[in-house]
Amino acid sequence: MPALLLGAGAPAVAATNTLTVTTLDRNGKKVTVTTTVVNLATNERRSVTSNKAKKLPKGTYAVLASIRTGETSTLGARTVKVSGASKTTVDARKGKRVSLGLSPAIDTAGREIRTMARICTVGKSSYEHVGAADLGGGLYVVPNSSKRLAFAAMRSWVDHSGASPHYVVKYRTTGVPSSPTRTFAQSSLGTVDVESRRGPSAGTLSNLAVQPADRACGDEMYGLLFDTEQPYRTKLHLSAGKWYVRAHARAEAKDGSAPVVGSYLVPRTVSAGKSQTVRFFRSAWGPSTRLPQINYGWLSYSLNDMFADPGFPRDSVEGGDKATAMLKFGGKTVKTKKDRGWESEMTSLEYKVKKSGWYTLTNDASRYYPEITFPAGMLSPKTSVTYRFKAKPNTSVTAPVYALTMLPTGLDLHNRAKAGGSTNVQLKLSRPKAGPDAKLGKNPKVKTVTAKASFDGGKTWRSVSVKKIDGVWTAQVGNPTSGAVSLRARVTDTIGGYTDVTIIRAYAIG
């Protein structure tokens, strides 16, 4: 057997690269925390326990840490090159207090003041972050001038009753500043007037929240303002920039829990000194503006969006409904599809168009939450829509019909009209593109817009006048002395196509 020769020509053993992160609290005591370590070249992240050597590939990393000292939180970040046995320290004693204020200052009596902060990595397509909130003992960050890091802080002055205005400001910098403080002039803030009504939601409780929406460090910070069972009007004073105004509805479940049954996520760009309005839970929830489409000869229609707030008509506000869609051609039913409620995936009717001609598509839907009890007198329990349009094989188009949205005006916070009075119902026509491949084509020429009202839950109907008011088709409904008003409207084009929408209990009578 030949001898094994060992000599200088043998390959060297690869060097081991390690990183040890030492973490000290605000008393200088070594504490063990879980840090986030991010490779700044690849954005790959790891969770690394401090005060222990961790094997890592060679490279440049950001280390993100949150260190608690009693009720005090300190955020710190370090950038370090890992090559061989590398070490770095995050020392909470070097932290500077985060402080955001208003000028002139506001009366804080009865308000909860919340402060939260983040340190983020700065990458081309993504970032990682570490965050904390002021738990009463103060919130601190360790300064770092690296441009591979960013800092964000948000502070809110919250009145849980909703009676007084809420103030929320956000501050963001590249690098972690040596003085993480900022005072916002009240004149630099913008205002969002929020109105939240009651009536159509299956929930009995709703909340209001704001969230930065700039897609940079500090987005996803969530500022819950208050929860309430009552409708309300309130004001939000926000620092300039992009925000989401959010509302969630919670219901009373039969098992005693309070599940979220619906939500709004409304983007707003806030400017200094400017005001705008957001209204939630308006009446006459009906079919969304998603139209049937034909893609490469296949007709497609989603059954799931039949209860859309007319202020946000593209999508349903709340899930949970049963629906039956039926497609007819030449007077015969060629396809039927059912949504049995709470199915794991979206339910769509799909049909290959084989012949050119007139197709009629109907979808009937009713609210369905088997695990909750609906509020007494809930509005919009049932809706239906019918589209009649021409289609032909081997095309990719949005159906040549209109989406029809109804918006009753002049209602109170409970979506009630004055008994015996009259209500103008805006009938808004739109044709959003159904999909990227479904060509929109020319809008059909409107021939007529008609409307009917029912005061007995849809058993009988009476025609009402429709006029154009300020360029909007408007149904003028004479209201009964009690109960609720159901609505039906139809838009017909000059070649015979139409959209017909029915909403049962569209609005209430006060």
Side-chain angles (χ1 to χ4, degrees), residues 64 75-77 117-121 128-130 141 149-151 176 217:
L64 308 174
L75 302 178
R118 286 184 177 183
I119 298 176
C120 309
T121 60
E128 300 292 338
H129 74 270
V130 62
V141 293
L149 302 172
F151 163 76
V176 184
C217 187

Side-chain angles (χ1 to χ4, degrees), residues 137-195:
L139 179 58
Y140 295 79
V141 293
V142 178
N144 192 313
S145 61
S146 173
K147 293 183 179 180
R148 303 303 301 272
L149 302 172
F151 163 76
M154 188 171 83
R155 195 173 206 191
S156 58
W157 293 260
V158 177
D159 172 17
H160 289 288
S161 71
S164 300
H166 309 268
Y167 295 81
V168 188
V169 297
K170 181 196 169 187
Y171 173 44
R172 181 184 182 275
T173 66
T174 298
V176 184
S178 58
S179 179
T181 64
R182 183 172 178 181
T183 299
F184 290 79
Q186 288 198 39
S187 60
S188 71
L189 308 182
T191 300
V192 179
D193 292 295
V194 179
E195 178 183 278

Side-chain angles (χ1 to χ4, degrees), residues 118 120-127 150 152 170 172 211-221 241-244 246 265 267:
R118 286 184 177 183
C120 309
T121 60
V122 177
K124 292 182 179 179
S125 59
S126 64
Y127 66 86
K170 181 196 169 187
R172 181 184 182 275
Q211 179 182 331
D214 55 11
R215 301 299 178 190
C217 187
D219 69 344
E220 298 177 1
M221 284 180 169
K242 295 180 180 179
W243 293 85
Y244 288 120
R246 305 186 59 161
L265 183 67

Side-chain angles (χ1 to χ4, degrees), residues 323-336:
T324 301
M326 185 180 298
L327 180 68
K328 291 185 177 182
F329 176 76
K332 297 181 179 181
T333 300
V334 295
K335 185 74 174 182
T336 299

Side-chain angles (χ1 to χ4, degrees), residues 163-477:
S164 300
H166 309 268
Y167 295 81
V168 188
V169 297
K170 181 196 169 187
Y171 173 44
R172 181 184 182 275
T173 66
T174 298
V176 184
S178 58
S179 179
T181 64
R182 183 172 178 181
T183 299
F184 290 79
Q186 288 198 39
S187 60
S188 71
L189 308 182
T191 300
V192 179
D193 292 295
V194 179
E195 178 183 278
S196 182
R197 299 184 184 181
R198 287 292 178 271
S201 176
T204 56
L205 177 74
S206 71
N207 65 31
L208 179 66
V210 293
Q211 179 182 331
D214 55 11
R215 301 299 178 190
C217 187
D219 69 344
E220 298 177 1
M221 284 180 169
Y222 183 81
L224 177 63
L225 302 179
F226 64 93
D227 295 274
T228 181
E229 296 179 352
Q230 300 300 318
Y232 61 84
R233 293 187 180 96
T234 193
K235 289 183 179 293
L236 309 181
H237 297 302
L238 308 175
S239 55
K242 295 180 180 179
W243 293 85
Y244 288 120
V245 181
R246 305 186 59 161
H248 298 285
R250 291 185 177 275
E252 296 180 4
K254 296 174 183 177
D255 63 1
S257 63
V260 173
V261 294
S263 62
Y264 296 84
L265 183 67
V266 182
R268 286 292 184 266
T269 299
V270 176
S271 301
K274 302 294 184 181
S275 295
Q276 51 191 305
T277 300
V278 175
R279 294 184 175 92
F280 297 128
F281 301 111
R282 283 186 284 189
S283 68
W285 285 10
S288 80
T289 57
R290 294 175 183 264
L291 292 170
Q293 59 181 300
I294 302 169
N295 285 308
Y296 306 101
W298 281 87
L299 189 151
S300 176
Y301 174 73
S302 172
L303 279 65
N304 300 104
D305 291 307
M306 291 294 286
F307 297 95
D309 184 318
F312 307 93
R314 186 177 181 274
D315 301 287
S316 290
V317 174
E318 296 181 2
D321 58 89
K322 288 184 176 181
T324 301
M326 185 180 298
L327 180 68
K328 291 185 177 182
F329 176 76
K332 297 181 179 181
T333 300
V334 295
K335 185 74 174 182
T336 299
K337 184 69 175 180
K338 290 183 178 292
D339 177 8
R340 295 176 174 82
W342 292 108
E343 297 182 344
S344 58
E345 297 180 353
M346 300 291 285
T347 305
S348 295
L349 181 149
E350 306 285 342
Y351 176 78
K352 187 173 183 179
V353 177
K354 302 169 186 176
K355 296 181 180 180
S356 297
W358 287 101
Y359 288 80
T360 303
L361 174 62
T362 299
N363 190 23
D364 293 297
S366 59
R367 308 281 283 279
Y368 179 69
Y369 287 93
E371 74 278 21
I372 71 173
T373 300
F374 289 131
M378 184 181 72
L379 299 175
S380 298
K382 296 181 179 181
T383 64
S384 65
V385 63
T386 299
Y387 305 102
R388 185 174 189 263
F389 55 91
K390 279 188 174 181
K392 56 185 178 181
N394 303 317
T395 57
S396 294
V397 297
T398 300
V401 288
Y402 285 97
L404 195 161
T405 303
M406 304 189 213
L407 178 58
T409 61
L411 306 184
D412 67 11
L413 286 177
H414 291 274
N415 282 305
R416 298 176 302 200
K418 186 176 180 181
S422 62
T423 295
N424 284 346
V425 180
Q426 295 181 348
L427 309 177
K428 297 186 176 182
L429 311 182
S430 61
R431 290 199 68 237
K433 193 174 182 180
D437 298 320
K439 297 178 182 179
L440 192 59
K442 293 183 179 180
N443 288 342
K445 187 175 180 181
V446 176
K447 180 180 180 181
T448 60
V449 178
T450 59
K452 296 180 180 181
S454 172
F455 307 145
D456 55 11
K459 296 177 182 179
T460 60
W461 295 89
R462 63 186 68 182
S463 296
V464 298
S465 173
V466 175
K467 298 179 180 179
K468 267 196 172 181
I469 299 176
D470 296 328
V472 179
W473 293 101
T474 303
Q476 298 176 306
V477 181

Side-chain angles (χ1 to χ4, degrees), residues 6 52 104 218 381 383 409 466 481 485 494 509:
L6 301 176
K52 293 182 179 180
T383 64
T409 61
V466 175
T481 57
V485 175
T494 54
I509 301 299

